[in-house]
Amino acid sequence: MEWFSAENIVAVCTAVLGVLASIGVLWYERRVPRRKRIGYRVQMDTPIGSDVSEGRANVRLGLFSETPDMADATLVLLRVENDGSQSIADNDYTGRELHGLTVEFTGRTVRGIAVTQAPGADHLMEHFTPAGGMRHSGRLIRLPRVPLNRGEHFKLLVLLTGSHVGSPIRITGGIRDGEVTPNTAARPDEKPPMFGRAARLITVALTVCVVTLASIILVRDDTPPPMGCARGTLTVTGSTAFEPVVRELAQKYEKECEGSSVTVDAHGSNAGIRELADRGATAGKSGSPALIALSDGPKPDGYPQLRENRVAVSLFRLVVNDRVPVKNLSLATVRKIYRGDIRNWKTLDGPDLPILLVSRDANSGTREVFQRRVLGHNEPAQSSRDCVTKDDAAARVIRCELDSTDQVLATVGRLDGAIGYSELRSGTSLKGAHQLAIDSTVPSVDTIGSSTYPYREIEYAYTYGQPPADSLASSFLGYLSRGNGQDVIRTHGHLPCATPKGLRICGEE
């Protein structure tokens, strides 16, 4: 298992952050020295006088309108609370005078005071007496040494004159091992925060870690690598018909298996068989060469050292130039065309065009399959080098030979009246040509199991003897015939032998 992967690192960091946050909260609660603290805040500061010099118009009725000298009157609601972590007793106030706290209204004069307590805290009222130090003069209010349990509070509703709303209000006093300070709690008409600052920071950090981990998991490719990846170099040769499949498989294998290099060098089935046999004979006792030869159909009998692996059922097709509107030919008609009995398309209700046979060279497995499965005999001799004019005047038909399937398809699409053959190449379009049905059967992977379509063959992969189990040749061969390569084989129009339908067909033929 790869422990030092990106997702594992992020996951560990997320877990560590969560554990540290939990430990930190417990440590703070149990170990950090608890302070005593009295907090205060202004919950209301509003004008009730008739003076609108500050730009605040108001309407007064009843006692407010009858009270003299109230033109600049204001009402202040002040909340005083124990917002620390410990209770405060009357002897925790450190001032030398009888009172405990002093409230100062800068620029204003106190005209009246009303004290209110929280529900269930009626006992606090007995402390607000002149004997306890409760009094006021000018801008000051003296508050007695009121004991407050944790979270307890009382409020002062103060009638003031002499200044405008918003002038400074401050409470001073001394608390043993504590402080008196304005607090930041929300006012009644404000929405309290859902989380504290520390909680928000931890939540953001954990969210970033989780999102990062999820992104890595979504983006990465979880496709399992081929079983038994191997390092080294390998060459795959042989069939040009199967070359597109092998090139894509080689790229996928190299991407999934680090340290591997697979080169595709296709020159035809027979040429690949001969190259493998020669390389194996040269290697001698040094072992099987790093070479795989693909062949359209079985190898000749003269190579007993080569070990076969059935890979797929390959479908082939006849293709004709688009100037010829023919869509279907009987098997007997195809044989007559290649014998030279039919030499012009007008014989088959087509245009007045000579039939040009565009074929593969002698190394081609596609040609061998065509001769064995369709014609039942060899094609006629080559009679043209440019596929247009006869080099042999005695030849009954114009026939040329080309080195690859791509050349055949391009030439058939270019020359009027040309006919040739290739592997099916599912999903790709022909340029200037179209495929033919044989005896009204269209080649298709979907119908290959029950079709009597003749132009098909098993694709073989050959090695020289048995390659070592840990070699790249053995690993790639397994990838090709049994592993993830089956999907690629199927998309190119071939039926993998490892599938139930393919296993039956590959075993019968």
Side-chain angles (χ1 to χ4, degrees):
M1 180 177 181
E2 183 61 50
W3 285 103
F4 292 99
S5 61
E7 61 270 25
N8 286 345
I9 293 174
V10 174
V12 169
C13 290
T14 304
V16 170
L17 181 59
V19 171
L20 290 179
S22 301
I23 294 175
V25 170
L26 292 175
W27 178 82
Y28 182 84
E29 288 289 333
R30 296 176 179 273
R31 299 299 182 184
V32 174
R34 300 185 178 185
R35 293 181 58 82
K36 299 175 182 178
R37 187 171 68 179
I38 289 181
Y40 65 92
R41 63 183 183 273
V42 177
Q43 292 189 307
M44 181 180 69
D45 190 355
T46 185
I48 61 172
S50 61
D51 188 353
V52 293
S53 61
E54 298 298 327
R56 298 184 180 90
N58 58 73
V59 176
R60 299 185 300 148
L61 299 173
L63 292 175
F64 284 112
S65 64
E66 299 170 0
T67 305
D69 303 325
M70 290 290 130
D72 56 358
T74 55
L75 271 178
V76 170
L77 181 62
L78 186 65
R79 177 186 172 108
V80 182
E81 61 187 331
N82 178 358
D83 61 357
S85 58
Q86 297 189 46
S87 297
I88 297 174
D90 54 1
N91 59 1
D92 286 325
Y93 294 89
T94 59
R96 292 184 178 275
E97 299 184 18
L98 181 62
H99 68 276
L101 302 174
T102 300
V103 185
E104 180 181 4
F105 298 90
T106 303
R108 291 191 261 189
T109 301
V110 178
R111 305 299 291 272
I113 306 169
V115 182
T116 64
Q117 81 283 356
D122 296 342
H123 61 279
L124 297 180
M125 290 300 99
E126 64 186 28
H127 297 279
F128 293 96
T129 63
M134 181 71 179
R135 65 184 186 275
H136 71 87
S137 63
R139 68 178 186 276
L140 302 178
I141 298 176
R142 313 290 183 181
L143 295 177
R145 299 170 180 255
V146 181
L148 294 171
N149 293 326
R150 183 178 178 183
E152 276 189 336
H153 73 274
F154 60 88
K155 295 182 181 182
L156 302 175
L157 181 61
V158 186
L159 176 63
L160 302 154
T161 59
S163 186
H164 57 80
V165 169
S167 59
I169 300 172
R170 189 165 64 98
I171 297 180
T172 58
I175 301 294
R176 182 183 296 110
D177 297 328
E179 60 184 348
V180 179
T181 180
N183 61 26
T184 57
R187 298 185 181 185
D189 57 348
E190 294 176 345
K191 184 178 180 180
M194 184 174 294
F195 301 105
R197 182 179 179 183
R200 289 197 300 270
L201 291 176
I202 293 174
T203 301
V204 170
L206 290 174
T207 301
V208 170
C209 291
V210 171
V211 170
T212 302
L213 179 61
S215 300
I216 292 173
I217 293 174
L218 289 175
V219 171
R220 71 180 181 181
D221 184 6
D222 283 331
T223 303
M227 184 178 296
C229 278
R231 297 175 177 268
T233 60
L234 174 70
T235 299
V236 181
T237 187
S239 170
T240 59
F242 213 65
E243 180 181 5
V245 178
V246 181
R247 287 197 180 278
E248 184 173 343
L249 287 173
Q251 292 174 359
K252 288 175 65 68
Y253 187 92
E254 289 176 344
K255 181 180 178 181
E256 297 172 2
C257 291
E258 184 179 355
S260 62
S261 176
V262 181
T263 301
V264 180
D265 185 25
H267 297 293
S269 297
N270 292 334
I273 293 295
R274 287 195 297 269
E275 180 182 358
L276 177 61
D278 293 341
R279 288 270 298 275
T282 302
K285 294 183 179 180
S286 62
S288 177
L291 181 68
I292 294 175
L294 293 168
S295 175
D296 305 328
K299 64 176 178 60
D301 293 335
Y303 301 100
Q305 306 90 344
L306 303 190
R307 182 177 181 273
E308 72 175 31
N309 296 270
R310 300 189 177 196
V311 176
V313 181
S314 293
L315 283 174
F316 301 85
R317 62 185 174 182
L318 290 174
V319 292
V320 66
N321 182 268
D322 281 342
R323 283 289 307 279
V324 180
V326 175
K327 303 294 184 181
N328 175 60
L329 292 175
S330 67
L331 184 61
T333 301
V334 174
R335 292 173 176 175
K336 289 179 180 179
I337 290 174
Y338 276 83
R339 283 199 306 265
D341 296 340
I342 301 175
R343 286 170 278 183
N344 195 296
W345 288 108
K346 66 181 180 181
T347 307
L348 302 173
D349 298 326
D352 186 8
L353 291 172
I355 296 176
L356 308 176
L357 304 182
V358 181
S359 301
R360 289 291 309 281
D361 58 18
N363 289 321
S364 170
T366 305
R367 171 180 166 177
E368 285 204 0
V369 175
F370 180 63
Q371 293 177 155
R372 184 174 66 256
R373 296 279 189 175
V374 179
L375 299 183
H377 55 77
N378 290 341
E379 291 188 62
Q382 178 178 347
S383 61
S384 174
R385 287 172 294 176
D386 61 6
C387 302
V388 177
T389 57
K390 284 185 182 181
D391 298 328
D392 181 4
R396 301 188 65 187
V397 65
I398 297 175
R399 177 182 173 275
C400 63
E401 296 182 0
L402 300 177
D403 296 332
S404 70
T405 299
D406 289 334
Q407 291 178 354
V408 169
L409 294 176
T411 303
V412 171
R414 178 173 54 87
L415 299 180
D416 295 344
I419 184 174
Y421 43 76
S422 76
E423 82 283 4
L424 182 56
R425 293 198 179 184
S426 178
T428 58
S429 59
L430 295 169
K431 186 176 181 180
H434 58 274
Q435 72 181 23
L436 293 172
I438 298 178
D439 285 333
S440 301
T441 303
V442 178
S444 169
V445 175
D446 296 332
T447 59
I448 189 173
S450 59
S451 172
T452 56
Y453 183 77
Y455 200 4
R456 72 181 189 188
E457 185 55 277
I458 296 174
E459 193 71 29
Y460 290 83
Y462 286 98
T463 57
Y464 193 89
Q466 178 68 43
D470 58 350
S471 66
L472 179 54
S474 179
S475 175
F476 186 77
L477 194 59
Y479 183 66
L480 174 67
S481 58
R482 296 180 297 277
N484 296 341
Q486 293 184 44
D487 293 335
V488 177
I489 291 174
R490 191 178 289 105
T491 58
H492 281 267
H494 308 274
L495 179 65
C497 283
T499 62
K501 184 187 295 186
L503 188 63
R504 176 177 56 82
I505 297 174
C506 291
E508 292 175 352
E509 299 188 5

